[in-house]
Amino acid sequence: MNADENDFLPNTYGSNKDNEQASVFTGKPINLPYPSLGETFKEPEIFCDMVDYYFQETLGEPPAPCTRLAVFGGRGIGKTRAVVEYAWSRADHYTALLFVTAQSMWGFIDKMAYLCPLLGITPESTDEYSRFQQVLRWLVDPAHAGWLLIVDGSDCDESKKIVKECLTSLWGGHMIVTTYDYDWRDKFFSFARIQQPEIAQAVDYLMERTEGKRKAYADDMEKAENLAKATNTIPLALELATACIGIHGLSFGEYIDRWQREEPEVADWVDGYDLEYYRQVAVAWKLSFDILTPAAQALLYMLSWLDVDPFPRFLFNRQAGTEMLQRNTADFPTPNEILQLLSGDGQADMGMALAELRGYGLLQPAGESLFPNEGKLHPSVLLITRQRQPLESRLDSLQAALDLVYGATFVNPQIQQSWSIWEPMVDHAAKILGYAWYAEIANPTAHLSNNVGQLMLVKGELVGAEGIMNRALKITEKDLGPDHPELASRLYNLANVMIVAGKGAEAEPLLWRLLGIVEGQDGKHRRFLFHGLSLLGKLIYELGRREEGEALVKRALAVAEEILPPNDPLLAPVLTDLVAMLFNVPRLAEAEPLLRTLISIEESYHGLEHPKVSDHLNNLAILLQNTNRPAEAEMVMRRALYIDEKTLGPEHPNVARDLHSVAYYYQSDKRFAEAEPLMRRALAIEEKCFGPDDGKIAIALNNLALVLADTNRLEEAEPLMRRALAINEHNLGPDSEEVAVVLNNLSQLVESLKRQDEAISLMRRQLVIFLKLTRESGRDHPTLKLAIGNYLNMLKTIPMGKHQYEQLLADLGPEAGFDQLSFRRLRKRVGL
């Protein structure tokens, strides 16, 4: 190594500063990954004019879809740089300049969802897919027409599929997709192959980027041309070359000499196979990598096991993370200590190593991210670094990277406050876990797998959650043996995911195994005994073995009361499950003291005016009504309503729920004048929260119509009930049980309006639905006999002959899909 290579001077270009250029376009949503190269970008007229050719349609004019262009080229050819330069050069033409990556299906959905704060969208849900849909709605809103959306790196099949499926229906803007996959041709996309810069353009770039930094000689133009030819004008190779030349003050000739010495070795890397990157990029990478400090080399090795997403700042400095992360990792090795151990340099510093990688162009800016970050690796740099790691040091760097990621994600993924940590890290964690599983590294792989699985469960990604939880179980089994108490948490979490996914029968043996492991254990492992008993009892109860399930939950409560202090919040879920079981029987006298204890626990832990308290108060009110204590029930319902109005606001869905509870109580007590305004207010809240066609609206409309009918306002009630019927038909189909319920009420209302023929027709339709449900299930519907009685009673009100009467009944069979013999047997059984 030459003497001049020992002194590293950080290059400020590419550092993770706020994107100052975006401030020029005040008010526009912009998250482009880096500022414009300006005149240094040598293809403004060639590439940008080509894009303009494809984007000739007027922006934002419906109903034409947005114009879509797929830009194809190999890794390192400069696709991303070119489309970003196009965006900056045409910034005045667009209302928003948006950039997302699409390395995978869920990665694309996540990145689109992350645009919400940039676009001023208040998320309706914490679920990524819901936020993704909100962003799509923003893009098709005429008020936002004129945007440019860049989707970078859509290369894999699942990524291509989701991009095509979700974005081909958009209108109001322009979209550019970058890809190295030539199969991106699609009828919805124009297709353009990006060309390498011409030699003259590459020479200009080399001269300008190294001006004042290189050793200057008279033949620089000639040497720059030689270097441009050596790099084959690949933009990433040129960028790495200029950074290295500038840092060390090399001449073009010195750099070319080094290039010629290293190129034969890099050529041998191919070894008969096609690389996923350009050979010239690999040569430029090697020239830079070989003169990095040991700390920077070690850091680059670690980062190569991660994803191409931006690296959040707290990955390298936990003081930049949340207080929760800092508190939880106080006893963990620091990022600096991890780097020092791997590099063998006791003075290694993360900040200096990052600056070094940025200076060499190996770590690129990531201005598209809305969280503080230290940049990202170009896919080619990531691939080359990972592939060229010496075999003898691979496990060490992978272990160090695992420790780095684990230390940056040691927060409970089930707590929403932790998601500011998890969201920037989850793709990195998922990527490195794949390598750790293959390498059979036990720690911290099992713990990290478990946490990522928990996050996936909370976010509704059940298939992925189950797979990763199963991995965590297998790793722990192999590391600690089949009966180690540590397996309890793995078994519990995997079983829980499977239950949520509807695989209760497969989850049951896992929970029995859990109980066998922790039976007789003490300390933290005894807690898993009551957790396991509770989950297993609830599962078995739902599988139809009610007595067995209830017994297990009761035992879970006994174990919990033995090891937990009174009023511990961990008692609440067990009590909730047991109360629900006793409600179903019903054994309300047995349920009441447990429910009151549950309320006391929630009050002690959350306070007297917390929404969780009101949830249980609603159940207590139902119990009091059913045990003939109406005055006490009304008082409890009113308290629940007061709590939710105060804590959640007057237009929260829980307030609507409470209003319905009080209104139904008044309705049953024939206090219709008090019930009606509460029902109308609840209906208005639900329409605002859920939209005019939600199933909850149908229920509210039906009940309000019944109150109006009870106060002899039949003409006012009928349109409400018909609207409820239409909502249920649209949402659930014309033969659903919910449709049948409204048909029954509407039939009786129409009968009261003296429209007998129409009333009979509606009642007959209701009966046919219950007959269909009976045929499909193989057992009599609980409401079938009542529906038959109502229909027969209506038929008696109109004159008809015996033959006509019999034919009406016989025709019910074919209408409900019965064959003749089956319907004859049914009629005999139910008295039809």
Side-chain angles (χ1 to χ4, degrees), residues 656-670:
R657 176 200 64 186
D658 301 337
L659 288 166
H660 281 308
S661 296
V662 179
Y664 298 157
Y665 166 70
Y666 288 157
Q667 183 182 11
S668 64
D669 200 36
K670 300 189 183 305

Side-chain angles (χ1 to χ4, degrees), residues 437 439-440 442 471-482 487:
W437 295 333
E440 298 185 338
R471 284 277 193 176
L473 173 63
K474 298 299 183 189
I475 294 168
T476 307
E477 271 182 325
K478 185 169 184 178
D479 185 43
L480 302 175
L487 285 171

Side-chain angles (χ1 to χ4, degrees), residues 368-405:
E368 74 271 21
S369 293
L370 301 181
F371 56 85
N373 67 84
E374 295 291 356
K376 61 185 178 182
L377 294 185
H378 188 282
S380 293
V381 171
L382 186 147
L383 280 168
I384 298 169
T385 306
R386 191 169 65 238
Q387 291 176 4
R388 302 316 304 171
Q389 288 195 52
L391 291 176
E392 64 272 14
S393 64
R394 280 177 169 242
L395 280 178
D396 290 339
S397 71
L398 177 55
Q399 181 70 65
L402 273 167
D403 293 338
L404 189 68
V405 170

Side-chain angles (χ1 to χ4, degrees), residues 20 62 89 165 170 238 355 381 407 422 489 515 576 578 736 757 792 806 829:
E20 297 175 1
S89 69
E165 286 182 354
L170 297 181
L238 291 168
V381 171
W422 273 108
S489 65
L515 297 184
T576 300
L578 186 53
S736 67
D757 289 346
L792 295 180
E806 178 58 32
R829 186 173 69 250

Side-chain angles (χ1 to χ4, degrees), residues 513-547:
R513 183 183 168 198
L514 181 158
L515 297 184
I517 290 173
V518 298
E519 198 75 67
Q521 297 283 339
D522 55 14
K524 69 172 185 176
H525 299 299
R526 188 156 180 78
R527 288 199 172 198
F528 276 102
L529 178 61
F530 95 76
H531 284 310
L533 285 166
S534 177
L535 186 60
L536 179 60
K538 184 178 180 181
L539 170 63
I540 287 176
Y541 188 90
E542 291 173 352
L543 289 174
R545 291 142 54 195
R546 294 197 164 190
E547 290 184 6

Side-chain angles (χ1 to χ4, degrees), residues 557 567 571-572 574-583 587-603 612-627 629 632 636 639:
L557 180 60
N567 283 351
L571 290 166
V574 191
L575 284 166
T576 300
D577 291 340
L578 186 53
V579 167
M581 292 174 182
L582 295 172
F583 260 63
R587 301 205 306 271
L588 299 183
E590 192 177 341
E592 183 174 349
L594 298 176
L595 181 54
R596 290 188 182 277
T597 299
L598 177 57
I599 292 171
S600 174
I601 289 172
E602 301 288 26
E603 288 176 333
K612 281 198 172 185
V613 175
S614 70
D615 290 341
H616 300 306
L617 287 172
N618 269 283
N619 292 328
L620 179 59
I622 294 170
L623 184 150
L624 292 169
Q625 281 182 282
N626 291 334
T627 53
R629 287 176 279 176
E632 192 177 350
V636 170
R639 183 186 165 200

